[in-house]
Amino acid sequence: MTATDRSIELINAAAQAAADRLAHDIIAYDVSDVLSITDAFLLASAPNDRQVKSIVDEIEEQLQKQLGAKPVRREGDRDARWILLDYVDIVIHVQHSEERVFYALERLWKDCPEIALPEDAVKTRGKAEEHAQLNGSTEGDQS
């Protein structure tokens, strides 16, 4: 089984919206063969809580505007360290860079096929590491 066309369409729109808000390390996995509850995961990160919220808000707005999709659940708003948007067909994880490193979701899903993303999203790979080096290793929360 593979992710549906609708799931791929949602993932691509969400990835582009995340890239537009300068998310780091955007990647998507087709998890349909190992999970029955969703087709795909999108992972993205940002160096501070405010940017995490901004990315999530942009994803939600663009998926509603472009595809008429609303999340059935949004979790993690209070701390904005890891916000999850559940669209049933896809689940989006936007994490603070520190949480992204700590939880290493890529390690859990590395055996699942990667979903091709828009060029702007692909260009974000390695941005978290680049940002950390420019700002002296690890930075605290600046929100």
Side-chain angles (χ1 to χ4, degrees):
M1 181 177 227
T2 60
T4 65
D5 290 341
R6 173 69 174 172
S7 297
I8 301 297
E9 186 178 34
L10 289 165
I11 284 287
N12 281 303
Q16 184 62 54
D20 290 346
R21 285 287 185 246
L22 306 178
H24 296 166
D25 299 313
I26 302 168
I27 192 165
Y29 293 101
D30 180 339
V31 296
S32 61
D33 282 343
V34 293
L35 292 177
S36 60
I37 57 171
T38 193
D39 282 348
F41 281 163
L42 180 75
L43 311 176
S45 54
N48 62 62
D49 303 351
R50 190 173 304 140
Q51 191 174 355
V52 168
K53 280 187 177 187
S54 175
I55 293 164
V56 168
D57 289 345
E58 181 68 10
I59 290 170
E60 203 167 356
E61 182 179 324
Q62 291 305 315
L63 291 185
Q64 170 65 40
K65 188 161 64 171
Q66 294 177 29
L67 303 168
K70 289 183 179 180
V72 295
R73 182 175 39 243
R74 179 175 170 155
E75 297 180 8
D77 271 331
R78 196 178 76 165
D79 295 330
R81 301 287 294 181
W82 181 349
I83 299 178
L84 179 142
L85 293 173
D86 183 352
Y87 285 87
V88 180
D89 294 330
I90 68 168
V91 175
I92 300 166
H93 301 268
V94 182
Q95 299 174 295
H96 188 288
S97 299
E98 293 170 358
E99 267 66 11
R100 180 84 177 258
V101 170
F102 183 79
Y103 290 101
L105 295 178
E106 290 92 338
R107 213 177 48 219
L108 292 173
W109 305 109
K110 69 178 186 239
D111 293 334
C112 295
E114 251 187 72
I115 296 172
L117 297 175
E119 187 178 335
D120 290 344
V122 173
K123 288 179 184 176
T124 68
R125 307 264 172 93
K127 292 288 184 188
E129 186 177 323
E130 190 179 300
H131 185 271
Q133 289 174 353
L134 288 174
N135 292 299
S137 188
T138 58
E139 68 174 37
D141 180 26
Q142 296 178 359
S143 45

